[in-house]
Amino acid sequence: MKKKILIGFGGLVLVLIIWVAYGLFFATPVSPPATVSYNEGGLEITIDYSQPSKKGRLIFGEESEGALQPYGKYWRLGANAATEITFNKDVNFGGKAVEAGTYRMYAVPGPETFEITLNSETDVFFGAAEPDYELDVVTIEVPVQKPTSAVETFTIGFSSTDNGANINFSWDQTMFQVPVTIQ
């Protein structure tokens, strides 16, 4: 009798393991992964992130209003895994010096400005967990702008400038940009 119970329990555990593995590695995520790259004038920037969608929700706002991403709280700049940015050269990120390399990038939203931080902790699969703040490299503050129309899916892109690029972030009724130049 004990043998049958153990076999049944073992089968149940095996099914659970297969289900979790399928969900992590094979199922299509609700917020699909995306990679955007910039390569101009010797400057190369790559950003890996995931793209959540609005789906009728309040995205940025007060916690008391039920905002998906409340003001003043950590946000991984996407969904799923932590957002990562890579620079091939030493750069000025929002006017502050940053060495070439890969960084975890996150934000703290506000109604008028967003704080954007680069952190040296990388390869973080579950980006919902807050970073080790002792590993923050640089934090900048950027003003919030309003797009001409609501943006359904969180998007990061680039636009060229005379001496580098702007990283453009857009979602719902919010957009902001971070200038990046070669040192």
Side-chain angles (χ1 to χ4, degrees):
M1 180 66 151
K2 287 182 182 179
K3 187 175 181 181
K4 287 182 181 181
I5 291 173
L6 286 175
I7 290 172
F9 182 71
L12 184 62
V13 169
L14 181 61
V15 168
L16 180 64
I17 290 170
I18 291 170
W19 178 70
V20 168
Y22 175 79
L24 287 175
F25 300 108
F26 301 107
T28 302
V30 174
S31 300
T35 299
V36 292
S37 297
Y38 176 86
N39 186 352
E40 205 171 297
L43 175 61
E44 296 175 19
I45 307 169
T46 302
I47 302 174
D48 293 311
Y49 71 110
S50 293
Q51 295 184 290
S53 294
K54 180 174 169 56
K55 298 181 183 175
R57 303 175 288 186
L58 172 65
I59 301 303
F60 302 109
E62 298 298 332
E63 196 164 12
S64 61
E65 298 173 322
L68 178 66
Q69 183 52 60
Y71 294 143
K73 304 282 184 173
Y74 161 81
W75 178 42
R76 59 190 145 182
L77 279 171
N80 306 333
T83 295
E84 290 191 352
I85 186 168
T86 302
F87 306 105
N88 72 321
K89 297 183 180 267
D90 294 350
V91 298
N92 291 312
F93 181 83
K96 294 190 177 180
V98 174
E99 293 180 1
T102 299
Y103 301 91
R104 177 180 186 170
M105 183 169 54
Y106 68 90
V108 176
E112 304 296 324
T113 62
F114 272 49
E115 286 182 1
I116 310 299
T117 300
L118 300 183
N119 181 290
S120 62
E121 181 181 30
T122 59
D123 296 323
V124 178
F125 182 73
F126 293 109
E130 293 189 30
D132 178 350
Y133 295 110
E134 295 291 319
L135 300 177
D136 287 353
V137 174
V138 65
T139 298
I140 62 167
E141 197 168 300
V142 294
V144 170
Q145 302 167 2
K146 186 173 174 110
T148 54
S149 60
V151 177
E152 174 65 24
T153 301
F154 175 60
T155 305
I156 301 175
F158 294 99
S159 56
S160 294
T161 63
D162 289 340
N163 54 355
N166 284 326
I167 306 171
N168 304 306
F169 302 82
S170 303
W171 197 16
D172 191 23
Q173 297 293 328
T174 302
M175 64 184 224
F176 54 93
Q177 61 184 204
V178 175
V180 178
T181 59
I182 297 175
Q183 286 187 17

